[in-house]
Amino acid sequence: MIIDELVKVIQDSSDSFGENELAYLSLTSKNELVIRDRIAYRLHVELKNSIVAREYSVKGINSRIDLAILENNNIKDIIELKSMYTFDAEDGLNKCID
């Protein structure tokens, strides 16, 4: 997937939340999952010839991929999402980034 297309999907996904919906969901759940699911759905709608898989497992790898775009049962794109809370940056971002 071309990065500009992905950026548009992410922007469209964020626009699909109602007023204060994302704030509420962030307070009551792990917001990375909510955002991932919204992006996955938008990708599913846009990419008719692909499979969009959430929490995709690859044999021989212990961790799962947040979003994988599959074509002909092969991984075409991998999307990993990360989020942080403002209190994580309280002492400075240098403690969060290697």
Side-chain angles (χ1 to χ4, degrees):
M1 168 170 246
I2 299 170
I3 193 69
D4 292 337
E5 293 171 349
L6 178 59
V7 169
K8 175 140 178 38
V9 167
I10 292 170
Q11 288 171 338
D12 291 347
S13 298
S14 66
D15 292 344
S16 69
F17 288 103
E19 183 176 353
N20 296 321
E21 179 184 5
L22 185 55
Y24 171 80
L25 293 171
S26 293
L27 287 171
T28 59
S29 64
K30 188 174 177 187
N31 66 357
E32 179 181 311
L33 303 179
V34 175
I35 294 167
R36 179 210 59 203
D37 292 347
R38 194 66 57 106
I39 292 169
Y41 177 72
R42 297 293 303 188
L43 288 169
H44 166 75
V45 170
E46 302 261 336
L47 303 174
K48 306 245 185 267
N49 297 319
S50 299
I51 295 172
V52 179
R54 295 173 295 160
E55 296 296 319
Y56 188 74
S57 295
V58 177
K59 189 175 182 177
I61 298 177
N62 291 336
S63 61
R64 294 181 293 192
I65 298 167
D66 289 337
L67 286 174
I69 299 172
L70 308 171
E71 288 184 0
N72 301 318
N73 292 324
N74 294 312
I75 297 174
K76 181 177 185 274
D77 294 301
I78 294 173
I79 301 169
E80 286 293 319
L81 296 135
K82 299 294 173 212
S83 80
M84 65 180 279
Y85 298 97
T86 54
F87 59 78
D88 290 335
E90 185 176 307
D91 293 329
L93 289 176
N94 60 342
K95 292 185 179 180
C96 298
I97 300 170
D98 292 324

